Amino acid sequence: MFDSVLAVVLHRHCPLGHVRRWRHPPVYRPLVDLSTMEERHLILTYRLDRATILELCAQLEPDLMSPIRHPTGIPPQVQVLSVLHFLASGSFQTTVAIASGMSQPMFSNVLSRVLFALLKHMRSYIVFSEVEDLATVKGDFYALGHIPNIICAIDGTHVALVPPHRSEQVYRNQKNYHSMNVQMLCLADQYICHVNAMFPGSVHDAYILRNSSIPYVMGQLQRHRLWLIGDSGYPNLSWLLTPVRNPRTRAEERYNEAHGRTRRVIERTFGLLKARFRCLHMTGGSLFYSPKKVCQIIVACCMLHNLALHRQVPFLQEDGPDGGVVAAVEPVESEEEEDEEDDIDNRNTVILQYFQ
């Protein structure tokens, strides 16, 4: 009798580490079976098709495998699927965690791990055009508005977040909500070839451009007489074409019309990106993360957007026409002009040569 009582007392007062040695580790049972899901349902839920998801899982698996000393880790495929669901739906962590069969703290850890693993491959997913590809790139842009030598469209878009308390005003943009101001460059097929998500919402587009790597890169390409195309929020530079603010001739009006047709590809890119990954859209609410984590989420979504384009995965929307593939277009944001001296010689040359 004494021995049995002593055994109970010793068991209750043993250090936690000793008790765990005799417990059977819990087994994680995935709630989602990728092999049995319908292809359309896969794309609606995760924004990628089955083959692309499997390839992505294989690429990220080395970084997502749990250490041997933690046998209760979530399988890499489940980690990737849960994060894709979170990015696509814009839901709260708790909702996605329940759907994935894990706790909210566990999903928070999984999100960080998947983002870290994905961002290690950023330079493979977001690539500025190589010189040997420029002929095709210029031809695609010329087909949009008949302006020659355009290689990228540039603009900024805002992604809402809950700001740090001590620097709340820095993140308040001109539309009076808190955000990150994200500069992107895209090609004519909506491929994102540059993204800068480091600046808060109060920072002007032209300032972000000046403090990015783009001026240096375009300076290196000037011998090819290449241009970016942007709205009137940017200065007209030797490598950046903007619209004529007050057109006075028919040639300038024709140039502005062609400029608008060409530049709108970046607005369509923003619209498709935010429709595909609702966590970036205002309807998904503000992101409840630090600015650094929000930056990581934005870049990860851009990488996955490019992956979907490369693999020709259609954008499906349940309430779209015919179950449909829809072309999402983001509303044009107001263009706030910044006082900066324009270099208009190149724009005048374009107008005289092509729009007289």
Side-chain angles (χ1 to χ4, degrees), residues 60 63-64 74-76 78-94 96-97 100 102-120 277 279-280 287-290 292-301 304:
L60 303 184
D63 291 305
L64 300 180
I74 308 298
V78 177
Q79 296 184 50
V80 173
L81 289 177
S82 63
V83 171
L84 289 177
H85 184 196
F86 169 75
L87 299 176
S89 65
S91 299
F92 289 106
Q93 280 195 5
T94 303
V96 176
S100 304
M102 65 182 78
S103 67
Q104 185 276 325
M106 176 61 76
F107 175 76
S108 181
N109 179 49
V110 165
L111 176 61
S112 297
R113 296 182 67 181
V114 173
L115 289 175
F116 175 79
L118 190 58
L119 291 173
K120 288 177 66 174
F277 299 105
C279 67
L280 304 182
L287 289 167
F288 286 80
Y289 299 98
S290 67
K292 179 180 178 180
K293 189 71 164 284
V294 171
C295 176
Q296 294 173 344
I297 290 172
I298 294 168
V299 175
C301 288
L304 295 170

Side-chain angles (χ1 to χ4, degrees), residues 322-344:
D322 301 323
V325 181
V326 301
V329 180
E330 182 176 71
V332 180
E333 297 183 359
S334 60
E335 298 171 354
E336 179 187 351
E337 298 179 2
E338 183 176 77
D339 292 331
E340 186 165 340
E341 185 175 354
D342 283 349
D343 177 4
I344 62 173

Side-chain angles (χ1 to χ4, degrees), residues 108 132 135 140 222 233-234 253 263 281 294 317 332 341 349:
S108 181
E132 54 265 28
D140 292 342
Q222 273 305 282
Y234 295 100
E253 290 174 354
R263 191 189 64 82
H281 198 277
V294 171
Q317 185 167 284
V332 180
E341 185 175 354
T349 301

Side-chain angles (χ1 to χ4, degrees), residues 155-217:
D155 205 354
T157 188
H158 290 269
V159 174
L161 83 163
V162 176
H165 178 69
R166 293 185 177 180
S167 53
E168 177 266 342
Q169 282 301 118
V170 178
Y171 292 87
R172 188 179 297 277
N173 61 35
Q174 61 179 339
K175 293 190 175 182
N176 205 33
Y177 67 89
H178 301 100
S179 67
M180 300 296 291
N181 190 357
V182 186
Q183 175 186 274
M184 292 188 200
L185 274 67
C186 78
L187 304 182
D189 60 359
Q190 301 183 47
Y191 175 91
I192 296 171
C193 54
H194 170 84
V195 57
N196 186 339
M198 298 187 300
F199 288 87
S202 65
V203 177
H204 194 276
D205 290 353
Y207 179 88
I208 298 176
L209 175 61
R210 287 196 303 270
N211 291 274
S212 71
S213 60
I214 298 303
Y216 173 79
V217 172

